[in-house]
Amino acid sequence: MKQIVITKPGEIKIEEVPIPEAKAGEALLQVQYCGICGADVASYTGNQPFTTYPRIPGHEFSARIVTIPENTRGLKPGDLVTANPYFNCGTCYSCRRGYVNCCEDNQTMGVQRDGSFRQYITMPVDRILPAKGLGAKELALIEPFSISYHAVSRCEMQSGSKVLVIGAGPIGLFALIAAKQKGAFVYVSDVLDGRLERATRLGASGTVNPGKEDIAAWTRKITDSNGFDICIEACGHPETFLTCIEQAAFAGKVVLIGNGKKETTFVHSILLKKELNVYGSRNSYTRDFEVLIDWMAEGNMDVTSLISAEYPFEQTGEAMEALVQNDGSLEKVLIRFDNAEEDQREDEI
């Protein structure tokens, strides 16, 4: 089989290696589609703080089961599936308390351990999730959607809340969709007008470009000078974190999804003055995947409009470069493996 390897920042190679052998309790999967995550791009550019090299990227994927041991979940060869790619140790304090998403020794596929950018992978059976009728491309979007859904779930969002999402990349847009599902009025900020247009099409109640408009004045107008009930940071930049703090209402909430390497300096008394609740959010739970698969299978949402481009796996380097040079026109980019079938809902096959 072939696999994609980032040998060092800025360098990608296609290697030919043996098909892996499934160990006890594992299934062999034939990869269909992989999404390129911002973490993968950061690994490619050398800006991912957790990546070591060489590294096979990828953790957003769909696949077909090739072989699988007898199991109680009804999974069988030929099934279309995705999987939870965050491996936890099971013994640290976080794991013992059930917070497996923030295991102290977390190993996410494509970052701390090799990922899904290869024609075949093995996965523990208990991490595999069935498609329930979803198509292969839809399944490849479940993992990034789960990141945003988990973050939105962290802050106990109420119906009718006024929410500001800062950053209209894929994670920010998925946060918009998740917050709308909870009945919130969701507003989106980004410096790229194309992304704001996309947010509007996805149902944003309003948008703002802080590069062209005073966001503080805009917030006062939108919220009757109260500030937003919840601000979600989906960029990972110091200035956008500070904007969340500034535009949040007194006794409001700030949720951090964006992952960055730069330090943020501010006078922390504003957190006390406003009595803000600040939530970090990392990865997601298997149950987040399950909820989203059910939602999408029931026809409650169509997120495939976020797919901007599709590349064959041989052109992964070109796809990475396109995202590095992204002018805002690209949202989700998928890598198609040569065994991937034409995408359609499973019940239509």
Side-chain angles (χ1 to χ4, degrees):
M1 73 166 192
K2 293 179 180 178
Q3 62 185 19
I4 308 298
V5 181
I6 303 175
T7 54
K8 62 182 180 180
E11 183 176 282
I12 285 180
K13 288 184 178 180
I14 298 177
E15 296 179 345
E16 190 155 344
V17 297
I19 294 174
E21 293 186 8
K23 300 175 183 176
E26 292 183 339
L28 177 65
L29 308 179
Q30 187 179 44
V31 176
Q32 302 287 295
Y33 289 93
C34 288
I36 299 181
C37 176
D40 297 321
V41 177
S43 294
Y44 174 67
T45 58
N47 292 309
Q48 168 54 255
F50 306 126
T51 298
T52 55
Y53 303 92
R55 179 63 64 218
I56 299 171
H59 51 259
E60 309 172 1
F61 66 91
S62 58
R64 287 271 178 200
I65 296 176
V66 179
T67 63
I68 190 167
E70 292 256 349
N71 61 88
T72 60
R73 301 175 57 212
L75 296 168
K76 60 186 184 303
D79 285 353
L80 186 62
V81 297
T82 187
N84 182 330
Y86 323 119
F87 285 75
N88 61 292
C89 71
T91 59
C92 72
Y93 188 44
S94 296
C95 287
R96 296 200 306 272
R97 290 181 295 154
Y99 301 117
V100 296
N101 62 306
C102 53
C103 168
E104 294 174 25
D105 189 32
N106 171 77
Q107 292 191 10
T108 297
M109 289 174 61
V111 183
Q112 293 95 344
R113 64 164 57 196
D114 283 336
S116 57
F117 277 42
R118 37 189 165 170
Q119 292 175 309
Y120 293 87
I121 60 172
T122 58
M123 285 293 293
V125 173
D126 61 3
R127 291 187 165 273
I128 296 174
L129 296 147
K132 294 188 176 181
L134 296 183
K137 291 181 184 179
E138 290 176 294
L139 272 185
L141 299 178
I142 292 295
E143 190 280 337
F145 198 173
S146 77
I147 295 292
S148 301
Y149 175 79
H150 178 75
V152 167
S153 299
R154 290 274 290 128
C155 63
E156 300 178 346
M157 188 178 294
Q158 303 297 314
S159 178
S161 296
K162 285 192 173 180
V163 177
L164 174 62
V165 176
I166 299 184
I171 296 300
L173 293 177
F174 279 127
L176 158 65
I177 296 170
K180 280 182 59 62
Q181 286 292 123
K182 292 186 176 292
F185 298 99
V186 189
Y187 299 80
V188 178
S189 171
D190 201 286
V191 295
L192 298 174
D193 290 332
R195 287 185 166 182
L196 296 178
E197 291 169 7
R198 197 170 289 115
T200 299
R201 291 197 297 272
L202 289 171
S205 297
T207 63
V208 63
N209 184 331
K212 299 179 178 178
E213 189 173 349
D214 183 345
I215 193 170
W218 176 83
T219 296
R220 289 193 294 271
K221 179 181 177 181
I222 293 294
T223 67
D224 295 326
S225 297
N226 294 319
F228 285 95
D229 299 306
I230 301 169
C231 292
I232 299 175
E233 201 287 324
C235 295
H237 300 311
E239 56 269 25
T240 47
F241 171 47
L242 296 178
T243 298
C244 283
I245 292 173
E246 293 160 359
Q247 305 315 317
F250 278 65
K253 301 173 181 179
V254 174
V255 184
L256 305 176
I257 317 178
N259 184 19
K261 293 177 67 174
K262 295 181 180 179
E263 293 184 358
T264 304
T265 302
F266 66 102
V267 179
H268 74 268
S269 294
I270 190 172
L271 302 180
L272 282 64
K273 179 181 178 181
K274 285 189 169 184
E275 198 177 68
L276 294 179
N277 293 287
V278 181
Y279 298 82
S281 185
R282 186 178 188 187
N283 299 335
S284 58
Y285 294 118
T286 296
R287 65 175 177 265
D288 297 322
F289 283 69
E290 294 170 338
V291 166
L292 293 175
I293 289 172
D294 286 341
W295 274 4
M296 289 172 62
E298 291 167 3
N300 292 319
M301 64 191 77
D302 178 12
V303 298
T304 56
S305 62
L306 293 181
I307 300 173
S308 302
E310 184 181 312
Y311 288 78
F313 78 91
E314 297 93 342
Q315 295 178 15
T316 298
E318 290 90 329
M320 289 286 191
E321 282 296 327
L323 285 167
V324 170
Q325 305 299 326
N326 189 12
D327 60 1
S329 59
L330 295 176
E331 290 296 345
K332 284 312 299 178
V333 172
L334 297 185
I335 298 300
R336 181 184 69 254
F337 286 79
D338 56 9
N339 47 263
E341 64 249 26
E342 184 68 25
D343 194 50
Q344 54 186 321
R345 290 243 173 182
E346 285 280 279
D347 54 11
E348 297 173 356
I349 295 176

